[in-house]
Amino acid sequence: NKTAYKKITCEPEKEINLDVSLEPITSSDLIVSSPPKAKVSKDAKELGETPLVIRDNPIGKHSASISKPGFVTQEATWTVEDARPQEVSVTLGSNMGKLTVESEPKEADVIIDGKFVGRTPYNDNLEQGEKKITVRKQGYTVFEQTVPVIRDQERVISAKLTLLPGSLTVKTEPAGASLFIDNHPYKETPFTVNDLQPGKYSIRVDKQGYDGAEQEVNVLPGKETSVNIQLSTNLGGIDLLVNPPGVLIYFDGKKIGETVPEGDSKVISKIFEIRGVTSGKHNVTASHPRAIPTEKSVTVTVSKGEISRPKPITLWIADTYMKTKTGAVFHGRIHQENDNEVIFEPEPGIRQRFARDEISELRKIGEKN
């Protein structure tokens, strides 16, 4: 403690009580560090930054914590023996290591301990310790790794990012179209193809009665791409007149029906309607086993949305059975007849005259004897 002085006056036969308070001896100590501006903490209380004077330090041992980001925290200790001020100097050693983060592809986000710090290629000095490294880029897998950063050493992280697959959904109006992606067949629309590698794809859709459609689409990594294609109908129709009734009609080689009479007529047929025909050229055949020739065909060009009307088809069909008294049998048509004679056509354009008394039997084919 400091020496204390007090003036007293003594008188005979009197007692004096003297109360003296001693002040402790303290000093003011300067704390300096290299580098400067380090934080000084004493007894868990932050006092300021170096260079810093700590006042009123009593006799005895003292200590303070000196810390600075990027450097190893040091403990400064000194002893106060008297009131003389003293300087306490601390040299802080670096605790920084170098971290380099590379990625393929480049320009990926780098996140360290949950904080975005930049994009690859990235390098910086960090305090030593365990660091959680996250590397991410839109459309790619996420890279994560926890690595130790060591003082005065360089750590290199190479992150290879893989493209995420995408998906492609193809819809058509109307639905039920055959789907081809890069000429590979898939199920009918609507249909979703998963796990497609990102890139450009060629889509083709086909549906009976509609124009085919093609479209290019870019499938993005990690994304769902949807395509909706409106199909245009390419159907038309045919109005076909084939005489006489009872003739079989074939469309592109397939039997589709038979002509029927127009009212009570035996020689005029109703219009034979063919609908839902795709645009383009088609073959229509009229056939009858007794016709000469037995069939006639026409090629009809159909345009979408239109009804084509080809020229009427007329078949020469033998509809009459005739037997003469000489035993000759004929199949043909009656061109003209009266009470005395029959003009008979055994073939188209061939006409023969027969007297009634030469004919033993004359009837329509199909009639009972």
Side-chain angles (χ1 to χ4, degrees), residues 82-346:
D82 50 41
R84 288 175 300 175
Q86 56 184 310
E87 179 181 297
V88 179
S89 178
V90 176
T91 299
L92 300 177
S94 171
N95 72 341
M96 303 293 283
K98 186 175 182 180
L99 177 66
T100 297
V101 181
E102 302 169 344
S103 72
E104 180 60 41
K106 298 178 181 179
E107 292 296 318
D109 293 345
V110 179
I111 298 156
I112 299 178
D113 292 337
K115 181 181 179 181
F116 172 78
V117 294
R119 292 185 172 87
T120 57
Y122 167 86
N123 61 78
D124 199 3
N125 293 314
L126 302 177
E127 291 188 38
Q128 67 177 357
E130 294 284 328
K131 308 293 180 184
K132 183 179 179 181
I133 312 299
T134 302
V135 183
R136 62 167 57 126
K137 187 176 178 71
Q138 180 69 38
Y140 291 81
T141 53
V142 176
F143 174 90
E144 287 187 340
Q145 186 175 344
T146 299
V147 299
V149 173
I150 301 173
R151 182 178 62 187
D152 298 330
Q153 294 186 19
E154 181 181 8
R155 185 66 182 257
V156 179
I157 302 297
S158 296
K160 186 170 180 60
L161 308 180
T162 305
L163 272 173
L164 291 170
S167 67
L168 175 61
T169 298
V170 180
K171 300 177 182 178
T172 58
E173 182 60 41
S178 299
L179 172 63
F180 299 84
I181 300 177
D182 284 350
N183 292 322
H184 181 81
Y186 289 86
K187 293 183 179 180
E188 291 185 344
T189 59
F191 188 70
T192 299
V193 185
N194 295 308
D195 298 326
L196 280 177
Q197 287 300 308
K200 286 188 176 180
Y201 289 88
S202 177
I203 298 173
R204 188 177 89 247
V205 288
D206 295 320
K207 185 175 176 66
Q208 183 71 26
Y210 293 84
D211 290 333
E214 294 187 10
Q215 185 172 332
E216 268 200 351
V217 62
N218 191 26
V219 175
L220 300 177
K223 298 289 185 181
E224 178 183 347
T225 302
S226 182
V227 178
N228 197 351
I229 301 175
Q230 184 78 34
L231 298 178
S232 299
T233 181
N234 65 358
L235 297 181
I238 300 172
D239 279 353
L240 185 68
L241 178 59
V242 177
N243 293 319
V247 174
L248 297 177
I249 305 300
Y250 293 82
F251 182 77
D252 288 340
K254 182 180 179 181
K255 179 182 174 182
I256 60 172
E258 182 177 328
T259 58
V260 296
E262 178 66 54
D264 296 330
S265 175
K266 294 183 179 181
V267 294
I268 304 298
S269 302
K270 282 186 176 181
I271 296 293
F272 191 90
E273 295 182 352
I274 307 174
R275 295 294 184 263
V277 180
T278 57
S279 58
K281 292 185 177 181
H282 297 276
N283 181 267
V284 180
T285 300
S287 175
H288 195 283
R290 295 195 307 273
I292 299 177
T294 57
E295 63 181 40
K296 287 184 179 180
S297 296
V298 294
T299 298
V300 183
T301 300
V302 177
S303 299
K304 63 181 181 179
E306 297 182 5
I307 302 298
S308 297
R309 295 175 176 84
K311 291 182 178 180
I313 299 174
T314 300
L315 295 183
W316 188 95
I317 300 174
D319 60 359
T320 303
Y321 171 87
M322 186 178 72
K323 184 177 181 180
T324 65
K325 290 179 179 179
T326 62
V329 175
F330 298 90
H331 294 85
R333 299 175 62 90
I334 295 175
H335 175 69
Q336 189 176 340
E337 64 178 329
N338 55 39
D339 292 339
N340 297 318
E341 64 179 7
V342 174
I343 298 176
F344 194 79
E345 287 188 356

Side-chain angles (χ1 to χ4, degrees), residues 8-52:
I8 61 173
T9 302
C10 294
E11 296 180 7
E13 297 182 356
K14 285 188 179 181
E15 181 179 348
I16 297 174
N17 292 321
L18 186 61
D19 186 8
V20 178
S21 295
L22 299 179
E23 294 181 7
I25 295 174
T26 61
S27 70
S28 295
D29 302 310
L30 174 64
I31 310 297
V32 296
S33 67
S34 177
K37 295 188 176 299
K39 183 173 67 176
V40 179
S41 299
K42 191 172 186 294
D43 298 329
K45 181 180 179 182
E46 186 174 332
L47 304 180
E49 291 184 344
T50 60
L52 178 69

